[in-house]
């Protein structure tokens, strides 16, 4: 079993990651701004209050138990000018970039970023260009941060995220158009945890959608 640190643990995707990781027997450190708003405690769950946009507040992770995986599930409701994803990712990897601990970094990005642009259909491209240009650029900056960190990493580029408690299915799309335009957050969490120790995914950005 592994120790996961999850940034954005109180978000819609982060909550699924926390619960599924605990159900699978892993130990989790959930980084949140408001511990009082987080779900009930668990014996293998540590809740750390910190602001991911404030790098020094994350340094306490260095003094904790060894971290096997750093999972970045940050998001924002703001569609323009928000940099919490790239800043939070930079501060998270910065904690470990120059130390002995070298956790594997998992970043939840978006389908359409980088070389996955051609996997979007016509409607998806229009949506990204007209409504989400700032968000897509922010995801691109986030990916650049993790690639430059020197840490082992895997980037999951998710198609449109859908709410729902049922895990549902997922599929990894290597090439060609996405067969679906969305994936349930619970299914994305399942995908990440299913491949937690998959060495074939190291150093790669993979597009994931619903099944």
């Amino acid at each position: 079993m592994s120790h996961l640190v999850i940034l954005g643990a109180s978000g819609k995707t982060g909550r699924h990651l926390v619960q599924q990781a605990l159900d699978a027997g892993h130990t989790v450190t959930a980084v949140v701004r408001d511990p009082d708003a987080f779900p009930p405690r668990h014996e293998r769950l540590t809740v750390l209050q910190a602001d991911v946009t404030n790098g020094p507040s994350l340094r306490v992770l260095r003094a904790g138990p060894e971290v096997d995986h750093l999972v970045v599930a940050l998001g924002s409701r703001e569609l323009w000018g928000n940099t919490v994803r790239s800043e939070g990712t930079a501060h998270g990897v910065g904690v470990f970039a120059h130390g002995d601990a070298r956790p594997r970094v998992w970043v939840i990005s978006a389908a359409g970023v980088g070389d996955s642009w051609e996997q979007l259909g016509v409607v998806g491209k229009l949506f990204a260009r007209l409504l989400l240009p700032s968000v897509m650029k922010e995801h691109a900056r986030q990916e650049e941060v993790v690639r430059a960190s020197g840490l082992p990493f895997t980037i999951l580029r998710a198609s449109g995220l859908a709410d729902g408690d049922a895990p549902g299915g997922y599929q990894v799309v290597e090439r060609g158009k996405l067969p679906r335009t969305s994936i349930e957050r619970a299914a994305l969490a399942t995908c990440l945890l299913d491949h937690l120790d998959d060495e074939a995914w190291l150093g790669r950005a993979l597009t994931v959608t619903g099944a």
Side-chain angles (χ1 to χ4, degrees):
M1 293 294 102
S2 300
H3 175 207
L4 286 71
V5 169
I6 301 177
L7 306 185
S10 60
K12 291 182 178 180
T13 303
R15 288 176 184 268
H16 286 292
L17 285 163
V18 170
Q19 190 58 59
Q20 289 188 33
L22 292 172
D23 290 344
H26 299 295
T27 299
V28 176
T29 296
V31 180
V32 299
R33 283 182 297 180
D34 183 7
D36 293 333
F38 206 67
R41 302 296 187 259
H42 187 285
E43 61 181 2
R44 284 181 278 103
L45 172 65
T46 299
V47 178
L48 173 65
Q49 183 177 16
D51 180 357
V52 296
T53 63
N54 176 14
S57 70
L58 294 175
R59 291 175 185 168
V60 66
L61 292 172
R62 294 175 182 166
E66 182 176 350
V67 178
D68 301 300
H69 300 272
L70 173 66
V71 182
V72 183
L74 297 171
S76 172
R77 293 188 179 92
E78 298 178 28
L79 298 181
W80 302 93
N82 188 280
T83 60
V84 67
R85 294 179 180 90
S86 58
E87 284 187 49
T89 303
H91 292 147
V93 299
V95 171
F96 303 103
H98 304 292
D100 294 332
R102 293 181 57 79
R104 181 171 180 172
V105 182
W106 292 83
V107 171
I108 296 177
S109 183
V113 174
D115 57 8
S116 67
W117 175 254
E118 293 305 322
Q119 292 183 297
L120 299 182
V122 174
V123 175
K125 288 179 178 178
L126 284 174
F127 190 79
R129 280 175 173 156
L130 297 178
L131 298 178
L132 300 174
S134 180
V135 173
M136 299 299 281
K137 289 178 181 177
E138 170 66 352
H139 274 302
R141 287 191 292 267
Q142 182 184 36
E143 291 191 10
E144 290 173 2
V145 166
V146 72
R147 290 181 188 278
S149 69
L151 295 172
F153 71 88
T154 300
I155 297 168
L156 294 183
R157 293 170 171 164
S159 58
L161 292 170
D163 297 333
D165 294 329
Y170 66 84
Q171 53 186 319
V172 179
V173 182
E174 296 278 356
R175 58 185 62 85
K177 302 296 183 184
L178 292 176
R180 292 192 59 184
T181 58
S182 66
I183 180 172
E184 292 185 350
R185 296 176 189 274
L188 178 60
T190 300
C191 174
L192 190 156
L193 292 166
D194 280 351
H195 296 273
L196 206 58
D197 297 314
D198 190 340
E199 293 188 2
W201 282 21
L202 278 170
R204 300 181 64 190
L206 299 144
T207 306
V208 187
T209 191

